[in-house]
Amino acid sequence: MQPRKIETDMTRPVVTRFAPSPTGYLHIGGARTALFNWYFAKKMGGQFKLRVEDTDKARSTDDATAAILKGMEWLGLSADGDVVYQSQNVDAHVAAANALLESGAAYRCYQTADDIEVLKSEARENNRAFRSPCRERKDQPDLPFAVRFRVPEGQTTIHDHVQGQVTWQNDSFDDLVLLRADGTPTYMLAVVVDDHNMDVTHVIRGDDHLINAGRQTQLYQALGWDTPDWAHVPLIHGPDGKKLSKRHGALGVGAYADLGYIPSGLRNYLVKLGWSHGDTEIFLNDADLTSAFSLDGITASAARLDFDKMDYINAQHMTEMDDSALMKLALPFLETVNDGPISQTVQDRILSGIPTLKPRAKTLVELANQARYLMDIRPLEITGKTAKPLKRDGVIDLLSALTLALKSRKGSPWTAEALDIELKDFAEQRELGFGRIGQPVRAALTGGSPSPDLSVVLALLGPDETFGRLDDAIAAFG
């Protein structure tokens, strides 16, 4: 492999594209490819375009297209211009095939499917590429035919931003079909024609397409068109180093959204999965990431999915996110924990508690579960180990006394600082260790849910909710 350092042609405005097939959801491998294209286009002041490759009508569905578009929207990926649907470009594909026929770079193949299977089998047995007997045929009988590309002699070389210089001997390539016998174009032809007509300058995609770059380069040259820059990115592997599969977590972007990851956190993690910029792991805003991004930073070895790192990066983004914006993203998860809509009063209470929840949560699911104690879920279900402090001798009398002391604080500020002093004074006056009163109060106020310092819990709940929960506990255990 030759050195991979390749200069980008700055005489052409950079245009990248993401071209998914609508046969399923937007999986994370596709999302990462889209992000590489998106950040590179932004870095170069160019355009990022979206093309839906829906020519396979048997497998392409409207639902899959909608899922891909929804996944990109959630991830924050916006394409420049209208979405291009490959199925609407068939006339251009056919015209290109006819141009290749006219130039002699393609030929009509009248062999039946059964004949082709036999001929290909013979070619494989003799360790050579497939060449149709129709290659040199001059007559044009009135028979069904496919249009095949005439692979030229010699070799084909590409200069790849990730893989370096790659060369193939042309006699290793089959004469591929451009138009099927029913007149429909194949993927290989359609991609070349569409990329050319969309002015694509850089094709950034998975390295499972690397050999396709050789075939497509031959088509570009035969059509007399400029060949785009290539960047073939190694695929994502599972934590065990094997090809990523559903058992590793090869889920759709929508599934990661449901797991409580936020768009900026997942963007940051996916871009770092196979791209490096020194030792920097966290990019809290897109401007910094865009400025740093380059094709040279893409690693030539496969990246491994690491959920611990995904959680860590997501947690950093949640911690730095504006409280109101994070609350908006968290609301559906909060409503799930609450088993229904959340009143504005409780929303305001949770919003006030966001600063205490963020440092303890890696995902929105964790944040919502930790916010349970702030929800309107009275009376709390206090059972098991959580209930033990409330069953100790004399505890209910202490709770009653504390409730009375708190209610008598007329005019005193209901703040964490003031309440912390109040709780400690209450324990000292009775010559009690703080745990003696703190444990049952926490049980009464939170029902055992994870929570911050007790004084902070009281301050966030407010006096009315605090007194209501203390009265509930006194009634239940008295």
Side-chain angles (χ1 to χ4, degrees), residues 310-329:
M310 187 187 296
D311 287 349
Y312 170 74
I313 291 177
N314 196 69
Q316 302 308 305
H317 280 259
M318 286 176 56
T319 299
E320 296 299 324
M321 195 171 189
D322 173 77
D323 291 349
S324 296
L326 186 61
M327 177 71 185
K328 184 177 180 180
L329 291 178

Side-chain angles (χ1 to χ4, degrees), residues 395-409 414 419 421-427 430 432 434 436-442 444-445 454 458 466-467 470-471 474:
V395 162
I396 295 304
D397 289 339
L398 282 174
L399 282 186
S400 298
L402 176 64
T403 302
L404 183 61
L406 292 174
K407 287 181 177 179
S408 65
R409 299 173 68 259
W414 192 270
L419 291 165
I421 295 172
E422 184 79 29
L423 291 171
K424 290 176 178 176
D425 286 348
F426 182 86
R430 288 159 179 77
L432 300 171
F434 187 76
R436 172 76 173 163
I437 188 63
Q439 289 180 1
V441 171
R442 185 180 295 278
L445 297 182
L454 189 55
L458 272 74
T466 295
F467 297 145
L470 289 173
D471 288 343
I474 291 167

Side-chain angles (χ1 to χ4, degrees), residues 358-373:
K358 289 196 299 188
R360 303 157 61 92
K362 297 185 290 292
T363 66
L364 295 173
V365 170
E366 290 185 3
L367 185 143
N369 285 329
Q370 291 184 23
R372 181 188 298 273
Y373 81 94

Side-chain angles (χ1 to χ4, degrees), residues 105-431:
Y107 60 92
R108 294 175 175 83
C109 180
Y110 299 95
Q111 300 293 317
T112 66
D114 290 340
D115 292 339
I116 294 294
E117 189 61 37
V118 172
L119 292 167
K120 282 189 172 182
S121 179
E122 292 175 354
R124 286 193 293 269
E125 289 175 1
N126 291 285
N127 197 29
R128 56 182 172 79
F130 169 74
R131 300 287 185 263
S132 170
C134 299
R135 210 173 198 260
E136 307 304 329
R137 190 167 181 169
K138 303 300 182 184
D139 63 323
Q140 296 183 13
D142 187 18
L143 294 171
F145 64 89
V147 175
R148 285 187 179 276
F149 182 65
R150 191 190 306 274
V151 175
E153 300 295 324
Q155 60 185 25
T156 299
T157 297
I158 68 166
H159 301 275
D160 193 281
H161 283 271
V162 179
Q163 305 295 332
Q165 180 175 299
V166 185
T167 298
W168 297 271
Q169 299 303 315
N170 287 356
D171 59 12
S172 67
F173 291 113
D174 290 340
D175 281 359
L176 58 88
V177 173
L178 302 177
L179 291 182
R180 303 179 184 90
D182 63 2
T184 58
T186 61
Y187 162 83
M188 207 66 67
L189 174 67
V191 166
V192 169
V193 174
D194 288 347
D195 281 345
H196 171 74
N197 290 341
M198 292 170 66
D199 299 319
V200 172
T201 62
H202 291 72
V203 174
I204 307 168
R205 58 188 177 184
D207 64 4
D208 53 332
H209 286 280
L210 181 59
I211 194 168
N212 289 343
R215 296 186 177 103
Q216 290 163 8
T217 294
Q218 294 172 3
L219 287 174
Y220 277 105
Q221 292 171 347
L223 288 162
W225 295 343
D226 289 336
T227 304
D229 281 24
W230 306 106
H232 287 89
V233 182
L235 302 181
I236 301 172
H237 286 185
D240 57 4
K242 296 180 180 179
K243 185 178 179 181
L244 191 63
S245 64
K246 289 183 178 179
R247 67 186 176 87
H248 292 119
L251 309 173
V253 166
Y256 287 95
D258 293 341
L259 289 170
Y261 295 96
I262 64 175
S264 64
L266 192 58
R267 282 200 306 270
N268 187 163
Y269 174 73
L270 289 179
V271 170
K272 285 296 299 172
L273 197 60
W275 171 79
S276 63
H277 181 68
D279 296 327
T280 306
E281 290 285 348
I282 307 298
F283 290 90
L284 294 175
N285 65 71
D286 276 324
D288 289 344
L289 206 163
T290 299
S291 177
F293 190 80
S294 70
L295 298 181
D296 293 334
I298 298 175
T299 56
S301 56
R304 294 191 182 192
L305 197 65
D306 184 337
F307 286 104
D308 288 339
K309 183 172 285 188
M310 187 187 296
D311 287 349
Y312 170 74
I313 291 177
N314 196 69
Q316 302 308 305
H317 280 259
M318 286 176 56
T319 299
E320 296 299 324
M321 195 171 189
D322 173 77
D323 291 349
S324 296
L326 186 61
M327 177 71 185
K328 184 177 180 180
L329 291 178
L331 189 57
F333 299 90
L334 293 164
E335 290 177 339
T336 297
V337 172
N338 194 58
D339 290 329
I342 297 176
S343 69
Q344 189 59 53
T345 298
V346 175
Q347 286 189 43
D348 293 342
R349 183 191 301 158
I350 295 173
L351 179 59
S352 298
I354 288 285
T356 70
L357 298 170
K358 289 196 299 188
R360 303 157 61 92
K362 297 185 290 292
T363 66
L364 295 173
V365 170
E366 290 185 3
L367 185 143
N369 285 329
Q370 291 184 23
R372 181 188 298 273
Y373 81 94
L374 293 171
M375 297 178 187
D376 194 7
I377 48 178
R378 288 180 53 204
L380 295 176
E381 184 178 348
I382 306 174
T383 59
K385 292 182 179 179
T386 304
K388 284 185 178 180
L390 291 164
K391 296 178 179 179
R392 294 173 184 151
D393 291 343
V395 162
I396 295 304
D397 289 339
L398 282 174
L399 282 186
S400 298
L402 176 64
T403 302
L404 183 61
L406 292 174
K407 287 181 177 179
S408 65
R409 299 173 68 259
K410 294 180 180 179
S412 298
W414 192 270
T415 63
E417 294 79 6
L419 291 165
D420 184 58
I421 295 172
E422 184 79 29
L423 291 171
K424 290 176 178 176
D425 286 348
F426 182 86
E428 288 175 3
Q429 289 169 11
R430 288 159 179 77
E431 298 183 347

